[in-house]
Amino acid sequence: MFEEIMEKFSDSPSQQRVIRLLLERGFSVNEEGRVVSGGIEIPNTGIAREAGVDRRVVNATTDAILADDELRPIFRNISAVPSLMDLAPVLDMTVLTVAVRDAEESGIVAAVTGRIADREIPVRQVLSEDPEFTDEPRLYVITDAPLPGDLITELQGLEFVRRIELE
């Protein structure tokens, strides 16, 4: 789906940057063509600055979204999910990042969280990037306790794991 959305803007790399930002942040577009997060409107100048484009590019992108019968329902209904990842160091939590070989393989989340649960380590949050919306999707698992070395070794040994990072 991500590639199909980006293809609609193939003639405008600057609009693609806006689209990528909206998808990555979970920003939606309201019926007036304004970028919003929930009910909070985000000024186009802020979106433009973050995407590295002129604010008129943001206007053109939201107009194109609302004019497209396939894009309109996607961007009218997308939403952000609060993440504990940035708070984890402050709250003394652990963030496990798992990069996988094939994100569309089934059972990845269950295999990782199952092994953590087997050690009776509480999982506070699991976030999985959608392979349709990002080039290198990752799985993030936030736990209340540090993960023991032998568990990390076990996780690294899983066939689907490409790389593991701990924060």
Side-chain angles (χ1 to χ4, degrees), residues 5-64:
I5 293 171
M6 296 304 275
E7 181 63 30
K8 289 179 181 273
F9 297 91
S10 62
D11 60 337
S12 177
S14 57
Q15 285 186 325
Q16 285 183 330
R17 287 198 299 273
V18 173
I19 291 294
R20 184 178 298 276
L21 178 66
L22 297 179
L23 292 172
E24 287 175 352
R25 303 289 173 85
F27 295 154
S28 56
V29 177
N30 68 17
E31 59 276 353
E32 289 87 31
R34 306 300 296 170
V35 176
V36 295
S37 179
I40 301 169
E41 188 174 309
I42 303 166
N44 284 354
T45 53
I47 297 295
R49 186 173 36 257
E50 182 73 14
V53 302
D54 187 89
R55 68 173 173 74
R56 291 172 292 197
V57 173
V58 178
N59 290 333
T61 306
T62 58
D63 289 346

Coordinates of all heavy atoms in Angstrom, one line a residue, residues 5-64:
I5 N 0.7 4.4 -2.6 CA 0.5 5.8 -2.2 C 1.6 6.7 -2.8 O 1.3 7.7 -3.4 CB 0.3 5.9 -0.7 CG1 -0.9 5.2 -0.2 CG2 0.4 7.4 -0.3 CD1 -1.0 5.1 1.3
M6 N 2.8 6.2 -2.6 CA 3.9 7.0 -3.1 C 3.9 7.2 -4.6 O 4.3 8.2 -5.1 CB 5.2 6.4 -2.6 CG 5.4 6.5 -1.1 SD 5.2 8.1 -0.3 CE 6.9 8.7 -0.5
E7 N 3.5 6.2 -5.3 CA 3.4 6.2 -6.7 C 2.5 7.3 -7.2 O 2.7 7.9 -8.2 CB 2.9 4.8 -7.3 CG 2.9 4.8 -8.8 CD 4.2 5.0 -9.5 OE1 5.3 4.6 -8.9 OE2 4.2 5.5 -10.6
K8 N 1.4 7.6 -6.5 CA 0.5 8.6 -6.9 C 1.1 10.0 -6.8 O 0.6 10.9 -7.5 CB -0.7 8.6 -5.9 CG -1.7 7.4 -6.1 CD -2.8 7.5 -5.2 CE -3.7 6.3 -5.4 NZ -4.7 6.5 -6.4
F9 N 2.3 10.1 -6.1 CA 3.0 11.4 -6.1 C 4.4 11.2 -6.7 O 5.3 12.0 -6.3 CB 3.1 11.8 -4.6 CG 1.8 12.1 -4.0 CD1 1.1 11.1 -3.3 CD2 1.2 13.3 -4.1 CE1 -0.2 11.3 -2.7 CE2 -0.1 13.6 -3.5 CZ -0.7 12.6 -2.8
S10 N 4.5 10.3 -7.6 CA 5.8 10.0 -8.2 C 6.4 11.2 -9.0 O 7.6 11.4 -9.1 CB 5.8 8.8 -9.1 OG 4.9 9.1 -10.2
D11 N 5.6 12.1 -9.4 CA 6.1 13.3 -10.1 C 6.5 14.5 -9.2 O 6.9 15.5 -9.7 CB 5.0 13.8 -11.1 CG 3.7 14.2 -10.5 OD1 3.4 13.7 -9.4 OD2 3.0 15.0 -11.1
S12 N 6.3 14.3 -7.9 CA 6.7 15.3 -6.9 C 7.3 14.8 -5.7 O 6.7 14.4 -4.7 CB 5.4 16.1 -6.5 OG 5.7 17.0 -5.6
P13 N 8.7 14.7 -5.7 CA 9.4 14.2 -4.5 C 9.1 15.0 -3.3 O 9.1 14.5 -2.2 CB 10.9 14.4 -4.9 CG 10.9 14.4 -6.4 CD 9.6 15.0 -6.8
S14 N 8.8 16.3 -3.4 CA 8.4 17.1 -2.2 C 7.1 16.7 -1.7 O 6.9 16.7 -0.4 CB 8.5 18.6 -2.6 OG 7.6 18.9 -3.6
Q15 N 6.1 16.4 -2.5 CA 4.9 15.9 -2.0 C 5.0 14.5 -1.3 O 4.4 14.2 -0.3 CB 3.8 15.9 -3.1 CG 3.3 17.2 -3.4 CD 2.1 17.1 -4.4 OE1 2.1 16.3 -5.3 NE2 1.1 18.0 -4.2
Q16 N 5.9 13.7 -1.9 CA 6.2 12.4 -1.3 C 6.8 12.6 0.1 O 6.5 11.8 1.0 CB 7.2 11.6 -2.2 CG 6.6 11.0 -3.4 CD 7.6 10.2 -4.2 OE1 8.8 10.5 -4.2 NE2 7.1 9.2 -4.9
R17 N 7.6 13.6 0.3 CA 8.1 13.9 1.7 C 7.0 14.2 2.6 O 7.0 13.8 3.8 CB 9.2 15.0 1.6 CG 10.5 14.5 1.0 CD 11.7 15.4 1.3 NE 11.5 16.8 0.9 CZ 11.9 17.2 -0.3 NH1 12.4 16.4 -1.2 NH2 11.8 18.5 -0.6
V18 N 6.0 15.0 2.2 CA 4.9 15.3 3.0 C 4.1 14.0 3.3 O 3.7 13.8 4.5 CB 4.0 16.4 2.3 CG1 2.7 16.6 3.1 CG2 4.7 17.7 2.2
I19 N 3.8 13.2 2.3 CA 3.1 12.0 2.5 C 3.8 11.1 3.5 O 3.2 10.6 4.5 CB 2.9 11.2 1.2 CG1 1.9 12.0 0.3 CG2 2.4 9.8 1.4 CD1 0.5 12.1 0.8
R20 N 5.1 10.9 3.4 CA 5.9 10.1 4.3 C 5.7 10.6 5.7 O 5.5 9.8 6.7 CB 7.3 10.0 3.8 CG 8.2 9.1 4.7 CD 9.6 9.1 4.2 NE 9.7 8.5 2.9 CZ 9.8 7.2 2.5 NH1 9.7 6.4 3.5 NH2 9.9 6.9 1.3
L21 N 5.8 11.9 5.9 CA 5.7 12.5 7.2 C 4.3 12.2 7.8 O 4.2 11.8 9.0 CB 6.0 14.0 7.2 CG 5.8 14.8 8.5 CD1 6.9 14.3 9.5 CD2 5.9 16.3 8.3
L22 N 3.3 12.4 7.0 CA 1.9 12.2 7.5 C 1.8 10.7 8.0 O 1.2 10.4 9.0 CB 0.9 12.5 6.4 CG 0.8 14.0 6.0 CD1 -0.3 14.1 4.9 CD2 0.5 14.9 7.1
L23 N 2.3 9.8 7.2 CA 2.1 8.4 7.5 C 3.0 8.0 8.7 O 2.5 7.3 9.6 CB 2.5 7.5 6.3 CG 1.6 7.6 5.1 CD1 2.2 6.8 3.9 CD2 0.2 7.0 5.4
E24 N 4.2 8.5 8.8 CA 5.1 8.2 9.9 C 4.6 8.7 11.2 O 4.7 8.0 12.2 CB 6.5 8.7 9.6 CG 7.3 7.9 8.6 CD 8.6 8.5 8.3 OE1 8.9 9.7 8.8 OE2 9.4 7.9 7.5
R25 N 4.0 9.9 11.2 CA 3.5 10.5 12.4 C 2.0 10.2 12.8 O 1.5 10.5 13.8 CB 3.7 12.0 12.4 CG 5.1 12.5 12.1 CD 6.0 12.2 13.3 NE 7.4 12.5 13.0 CZ 7.9 13.7 13.1 NH1 7.2 14.7 13.5 NH2 9.2 13.8 12.8
G26 N 1.4 9.5 11.8 CA -0.1 9.2 12.0 C -0.9 10.5 12.0 O -2.0 10.5 12.6
F27 N -0.5 11.4 11.2 CA -1.4 12.6 11.0 C -2.4 12.4 10.0 O -2.2 11.8 9.0 CB -0.5 13.8 10.6 CG 0.5 14.3 11.6 CD1 1.7 14.9 11.2 CD2 0.3 14.1 12.9 CE1 2.6 15.4 12.1 CE2 1.3 14.6 13.9 CZ 2.4 15.2 13.4
S28 N -3.6 12.9 10.2 CA -4.7 12.8 9.3 C -5.0 14.1 8.6 O -4.4 15.1 9.0 CB -6.0 12.2 10.0 OG -6.3 13.0 11.1
V29 N -5.9 14.1 7.6 CA -6.3 15.3 6.9 C -7.8 15.4 7.1 O -8.5 14.5 6.8 CB -5.9 15.2 5.4 CG1 -6.4 16.4 4.7 CG2 -4.4 15.0 5.3
N30 N -8.2 16.6 7.7 CA -9.6 16.7 7.9 C -10.4 17.2 6.6 O -9.7 17.4 5.6 CB -9.9 17.7 9.1 CG -9.5 19.1 8.8 OD1 -9.3 19.6 7.7 ND2 -9.4 19.9 9.9
E31 N -11.7 17.3 6.7 CA -12.5 17.7 5.5 C -12.1 19.0 4.9 O -12.4 19.3 3.8 CB -14.0 17.5 5.8 CG -14.5 18.4 6.9 CD -14.3 17.9 8.4 OE1 -13.9 16.7 8.5 OE2 -14.6 18.6 9.3
E32 N -11.5 19.9 5.7 CA -11.1 21.2 5.2 C -9.7 21.2 4.6 O -9.2 22.2 4.1 CB -11.1 22.3 6.3 CG -12.5 22.7 6.8 CD -13.0 21.7 7.9 OE1 -12.2 21.2 8.7 OE2 -14.2 21.5 7.9
G33 N -9.1 20.0 4.6 CA -7.7 19.9 4.1 C -6.6 20.3 5.0 O -5.5 20.5 4.6
R34 N -6.9 20.4 6.3 CA -5.9 20.7 7.3 C -5.3 19.4 7.9 O -6.1 18.5 8.1 CB -6.5 21.6 8.4 CG -7.3 22.8 7.9 CD -6.4 23.8 7.1 NE -5.4 24.3 8.0 CZ -4.4 25.0 7.6 NH1 -4.2 25.3 6.4 NH2 -3.5 25.5 8.5
V35 N -4.1 19.5 8.2 CA -3.4 18.3 8.8 C -3.7 18.4 10.3 O -3.6 19.5 10.9 CB -1.9 18.4 8.6 CG1 -1.2 17.3 9.4 CG2 -1.6 18.3 7.1
V36 N -4.2 17.3 10.9 CA -4.6 17.2 12.3 C -4.0 16.0 12.9 O -3.7 15.0 12.3 CB -6.1 17.3 12.4 CG1 -6.7 18.6 11.9 CG2 -6.8 16.1 11.7
S37 N -3.9 16.1 14.2 CA -3.6 14.9 15.1 C -4.8 14.9 16.1 O -4.9 15.8 17.0 CB -2.3 15.1 15.8 OG -2.0 14.0 16.7
G38 N -5.7 13.9 15.9 CA -6.9 14.0 16.7 C -7.7 15.2 16.3 O -7.9 15.5 15.1
G39 N -8.0 16.0 17.2 CA -8.7 17.3 16.9 C -7.8 18.5 16.9 O -8.3 19.6 16.7
I40 N -6.5 18.3 17.0 CA -5.6 19.4 17.0 C -5.0 19.7 15.7 O -4.4 18.8 15.0 CB -4.4 19.1 18.0 CG1 -5.0 18.8 19.4 CG2 -3.4 20.3 18.0 CD1 -4.0 18.3 20.4
E41 N -5.2 20.9 15.2 CA -4.7 21.3 13.9 C -3.2 21.6 14.0 O -2.8 22.3 14.9 CB -5.5 22.5 13.4 CG -5.2 22.8 11.9 CD -6.1 23.9 11.4 OE1 -7.3 23.8 11.5 OE2 -5.5 24.9 10.9
I42 N -2.5 21.1 13.0 CA -1.1 21.3 12.9 C -0.8 22.3 11.8 O -1.2 22.0 10.6 CB -0.3 20.0 12.7 CG1 -0.6 19.0 13.8 CG2 1.2 20.3 12.6 CD1 -0.2 17.6 13.5
P43 N -0.2 23.5 12.0 CA 0.0 24.5 11.0 C 0.8 23.9 9.8 O 1.8 23.2 10.0 CB 0.7 25.6 11.7 CG 0.4 25.4 13.1 CD 0.2 23.9 13.3
N44 N 0.4 24.3 8.6 CA 1.1 23.8 7.4 C 2.5 24.2 7.4 O 3.4 23.5 6.9 CB 0.4 24.2 6.1 CG -0.9 23.4 5.9 OD1 -1.1 22.4 6.6 ND2 -1.6 23.8 4.9
T45 N 2.8 25.4 8.0 CA 4.2 25.8 8.1 C 5.1 24.9 8.9 O 6.2 24.6 8.6 CB 4.3 27.3 8.7 OG1 3.6 27.3 10.0 CG2 3.7 28.3 7.8
G46 N 4.5 24.3 10.0 CA 5.2 23.3 10.8 C 5.4 22.0 10.0 O 6.5 21.4 10.1
I47 N 4.4 21.6 9.3 CA 4.5 20.4 8.5 C 5.6 20.6 7.4 O 6.5 19.8 7.2 CB 3.2 20.0 7.8 CG1 2.1 19.7 8.9 CG2 3.3 18.9 6.8 CD1 2.4 18.4 9.7
A48 N 5.5 21.8 6.8 CA 6.5 22.1 5.7 C 7.9 22.1 6.2 O 8.8 21.6 5.6 CB 6.1 23.4 5.1
R49 N 8.1 22.7 7.4 CA 9.4 22.8 8.0 C 10.0 21.4 8.2 O 11.1 21.1 7.9 CB 9.4 23.7 9.2 CG 10.7 24.0 9.8 CD 10.7 25.0 11.0 NE 9.5 24.9 11.9 CZ 8.5 25.8 11.8 NH1 8.5 26.8 11.0 NH2 7.5 25.7 12.7
E50 N 9.2 20.6 8.8 CA 9.6 19.3 9.2 C 9.9 18.4 7.9 O 10.9 17.6 7.9 CB 8.6 18.6 10.1 CG 8.9 17.2 10.5 CD 10.0 17.2 11.6 OE1 10.3 18.2 12.2 OE2 10.5 16.1 11.9
A51 N 9.1 18.6 6.9 CA 9.3 17.8 5.7 C 10.4 18.4 4.8 O 10.7 17.8 3.8 CB 8.0 17.7 4.9
G52 N 10.8 19.7 5.1 CA 11.8 20.3 4.2 C 11.2 20.8 2.9 O 11.9 20.7 1.9
V53 N 9.9 21.3 2.9 CA 9.3 21.8 1.7 C 8.6 23.1 2.0 O 8.6 23.6 3.1 CB 8.2 20.8 1.2 CG1 8.8 19.4 0.9 CG2 7.1 20.6 2.2
D54 N 8.1 23.8 1.0 CA 7.4 25.0 1.1 C 6.0 24.7 1.6 O 5.4 23.6 1.3 CB 7.3 25.7 -0.3 CG 6.7 27.1 -0.2 OD1 7.5 28.0 0.0 OD2 5.5 27.2 -0.3
R55 N 5.4 25.6 2.3 CA 4.0 25.3 2.9 C 3.0 25.1 1.8 O 2.0 24.4 1.9 CB 3.6 26.4 3.8 CG 3.3 27.7 3.1 CD 2.7 28.8 4.1 NE 2.7 30.0 3.4 CZ 1.8 30.4 2.5 NH1 0.9 29.5 2.1 NH2 1.8 31.6 1.9
R56 N 3.2 25.7 0.6 CA 2.3 25.5 -0.6 C 2.3 24.0 -1.0 O 1.3 23.5 -1.5 CB 2.7 26.4 -1.7 CG 2.4 27.9 -1.4 CD 2.9 28.8 -2.4 NE 4.4 28.7 -2.4 CZ 5.2 29.6 -2.9 NH1 4.7 30.6 -3.6 NH2 6.5 29.5 -2.8
V57 N 3.4 23.3 -0.8 CA 3.5 21.9 -1.1 C 2.6 21.1 -0.2 O 1.9 20.2 -0.6 CB 4.9 21.4 -1.1 CG1 5.0 19.9 -1.2 CG2 5.8 22.1 -2.1
V58 N 2.5 21.5 1.0 CA 1.6 20.8 2.0 C 0.2 21.0 1.5 O -0.6 20.1 1.5 CB 1.8 21.4 3.4 CG1 0.8 20.7 4.4 CG2 3.2 21.1 3.9
N59 N -0.2 22.3 1.2 CA -1.5 22.6 0.6 C -1.9 21.7 -0.6 O -2.9 21.1 -0.7 CB -1.7 24.0 0.3 CG -1.7 24.9 1.5 OD1 -2.1 24.5 2.6 ND2 -1.3 26.2 1.3
A60 N -0.9 21.6 -1.5 CA -1.2 20.9 -2.7 C -1.3 19.4 -2.4 O -2.2 18.7 -3.0 CB 0.0 21.1 -3.7
T61 N -0.6 18.9 -1.5 CA -0.6 17.5 -1.1 C -2.0 17.2 -0.4 O -2.6 16.2 -0.8 CB 0.5 17.1 -0.1 OG1 1.8 17.5 -0.7 CG2 0.6 15.6 0.2
T62 N -2.4 18.0 0.5 CA -3.7 17.7 1.2 C -4.8 17.9 0.2 O -5.8 17.1 0.3 CB -3.9 18.6 2.4 OG1 -3.8 20.0 2.0 CG2 -2.9 18.3 3.5
D63 N -4.8 18.8 -0.8 CA -5.8 18.9 -1.8 C -5.8 17.6 -2.6 O -6.9 17.1 -3.0 CB -5.5 20.1 -2.7 CG -5.8 21.5 -2.0 OD1 -6.4 21.5 -0.9 OD2 -5.3 22.5 -2.6
A64 N -4.7 17.1 -3.0 CA -4.6 15.9 -3.8 C -5.2 14.7 -3.0 O -5.8 13.8 -3.6 CB -3.2 15.6 -4.2

